[in-house]
Amino acid sequence: MTEAYIYDAVRAPRGKGRPDGSLHELTSVALSAKVLNAVKSRNGLEGHAVEDVIWGNVTQVGEQGGCLARSAVLASDLDERIPGLAINRFCASGMEAVNIAANQIRGGAGMGYIAGGVEMMGRVAMGSDGAAIAVDPSLAMKTYFVPQGISADIIATEYGFTRDMADALAVESQKRAAQAWAENRFAKSIITITDQNGLTILDRDEYMRPGTDMQSLGSLKPAFKDMGEVMPGFDKIAMMKYPHLSHINHIHHAGNSSGIVDGAAAVLIGNKEFGERFGLKPRARIRATAKIGTDPTIMLTGPVPVTHKILADHGMTIGDIDLFEVNEAFASVVLRFQQAFNVDPARVNVNGGSIAMGHPLGATGAIIIGALLDELERSDKEVGLATLCIASGMGAATIIERV
């Protein structure tokens, strides 16, 4: 089977997902085009250079509707003969775009792809697409639907994670992200976003709060306690599914959950011949990909079974992995992963994660693959695994190996 290599990974800095965020003036198409242009210029891509642009975005309505991938290609400097495919696997959309591209190359369907994603959460509100699992009573009742924050609190309750444990992980994420920026660890991947006059709009992640400590987080009220216990009473729905739980321990809040941000990221993937065509040196090969469905109520435990699956499918063990990127959707997601595999926390999210820098839904999967690649190179490690939990109960994972 043909090998699929990563030749480049780029991302925009993440802007606060609100009207005063630095990226708010840009549409998802405009930001995507800037990232695609960076891939093109950095790698000398000319003509019908890649087979397709596969682009993830989650809330596919309004200006993020239609085939956003094709719109982004047309808005960019890429050749108009390059098509575009918009996909949605919720929070893993950017990763799934990369995995689909890699598997297309392995199957002989083209030599090169650009894959990634975008989400402008400050312009297109999460949930504004009216997902059936949340709004269709017949489906919501069948699946015992609860919001993701409740699911994160169910994980904490089920597996014994305390508020202090979640807050400590959040403080560490902020600390690691601040150190990574101070030491320019993201320099290889970050592009500066400029306006039409060439003036800088944003050149670093702006959501970070490096002064975060246990005391400041301790003052925050649990974000999902009222919706769980009062109206509409999601705790009761959860306990119908899990009758062994006497209560739900609400430990999550804005400080130990992922931030709402704007962002985009892209990965350039190709076979050996693609690299030779453009004079590019591969940085890593995509060794394995996987996805899985999980319990839709607890919803966010997917990184554990999908990691078991990807390792088993490819004859590997957890000891074969040097570094991990586990998306910090909520603190309990990462705590559960570390608990399940007994991995050293020092090898997980080395440079911080979405709690510190934010989670632009459709882009995050591509972001963490790029972050994993950069850190493997920086720390001279060989093999890394990236994984995300996914809304409605799924998991996705990618294993990369330095060339």
Side-chain angles (χ1 to χ4, degrees), residues 2 7 58-60 89 120 122 136-137 173 179 192 205 240 257-258 290-291 305 359 385 388 398:
T2 302
Y7 287 96
V58 175
T59 310
Q60 298 187 353
R89 199 187 290 279
M120 300 300 290
D136 182 337
S173 181
Q179 181 178 2
T192 297
D205 295 321
M240 289 173 64
S257 306
S258 56
K291 60 271 187 184
H359 175 20
L385 181 147
L388 303 93
T398 307

Side-chain angles (χ1 to χ4, degrees), residues 172-185:
E172 183 65 18
S173 181
Q174 296 282 355
K175 176 182 176 182
R176 292 182 184 187
Q179 181 178 2
W181 270 104
E183 297 179 2
N184 293 316
R185 296 185 187 180

Side-chain angles (χ1 to χ4, degrees), residues 138-332:
S138 62
L139 181 59
M141 292 174 66
K142 177 183 178 182
T143 57
Y144 296 89
F145 169 81
V146 298
Q148 287 189 31
I150 302 292
S151 298
D153 287 338
I154 296 171
I155 294 173
T157 307
E158 178 74 11
Y159 294 101
F161 305 131
T162 66
R163 166 77 179 257
D164 281 351
M165 293 168 70
D167 286 357
L169 187 144
V171 170
E172 183 65 18
S173 181
Q174 296 282 355
K175 176 182 176 182
R176 292 182 184 187
Q179 181 178 2
W181 270 104
E183 297 179 2
N184 293 316
R185 296 185 187 180
F186 300 128
K188 187 176 290 186
S189 297
I190 287 286
I191 62 171
T192 297
I193 302 301
T194 59
D195 64 15
Q196 60 186 3
N197 298 312
L199 301 176
T200 297
I201 296 174
L202 188 64
D203 60 3
R204 62 183 288 113
D205 295 321
E206 69 173 346
Y207 182 81
M208 296 187 302
R209 292 155 290 176
T212 300
D213 56 24
M214 293 294 287
Q215 289 70 34
S216 61
L217 294 185
S219 66
L220 300 177
K221 295 181 179 180
F224 309 104
K225 184 178 177 68
D226 286 348
M227 72 169 64
E229 296 180 353
V230 186
M231 288 296 292
F234 285 110
D235 284 6
K236 292 181 179 179
I237 296 173
M239 287 186 286
M240 289 173 64
K241 182 75 171 286
Y242 314 114
H244 63 284
L245 297 179
S246 61
H247 71 288
I248 306 297
N249 185 20
H250 294 286
I251 70 166
H252 288 93
H253 50 74
N256 59 26
S257 306
S258 56
I260 293 174
V261 295
D262 302 326
V267 180
L268 179 62
I269 308 161
N271 61 15
K272 181 181 179 181
E273 290 73 22
F274 177 83
E276 291 173 347
R277 175 185 174 189
F278 292 101
L280 302 174
K281 181 180 179 180
R283 296 171 63 188
R285 72 182 179 102
I286 298 178
R287 184 166 172 176
T289 69
K291 60 271 187 184
I292 200 167
T294 63
D295 180 341
T297 305
I298 203 168
M299 194 185 307
L300 307 174
T301 54
V304 174
V306 81
T307 296
H308 282 301
K309 182 179 190 298
I310 199 171
L311 294 174
D313 287 351
H314 296 274
M316 302 175 71
T317 70
I318 202 72
D320 294 324
I321 309 298
D322 297 313
L323 296 175
F324 302 88
E325 283 288 328
V326 183
N327 186 40
E328 294 174 352
F330 298 90
S332 64

Side-chain angles (χ1 to χ4, degrees), residues 365-390:
I367 289 174
I368 66 173
I369 289 173
L372 182 61
L373 175 58
D374 285 347
E375 182 57 26
L376 286 171
E377 292 175 339
R378 188 192 72 84
S379 59
D380 196 25
K381 304 294 185 183
E382 297 300 320
V383 181
L385 181 147
T387 183
L388 303 93
C389 61
I390 307 173

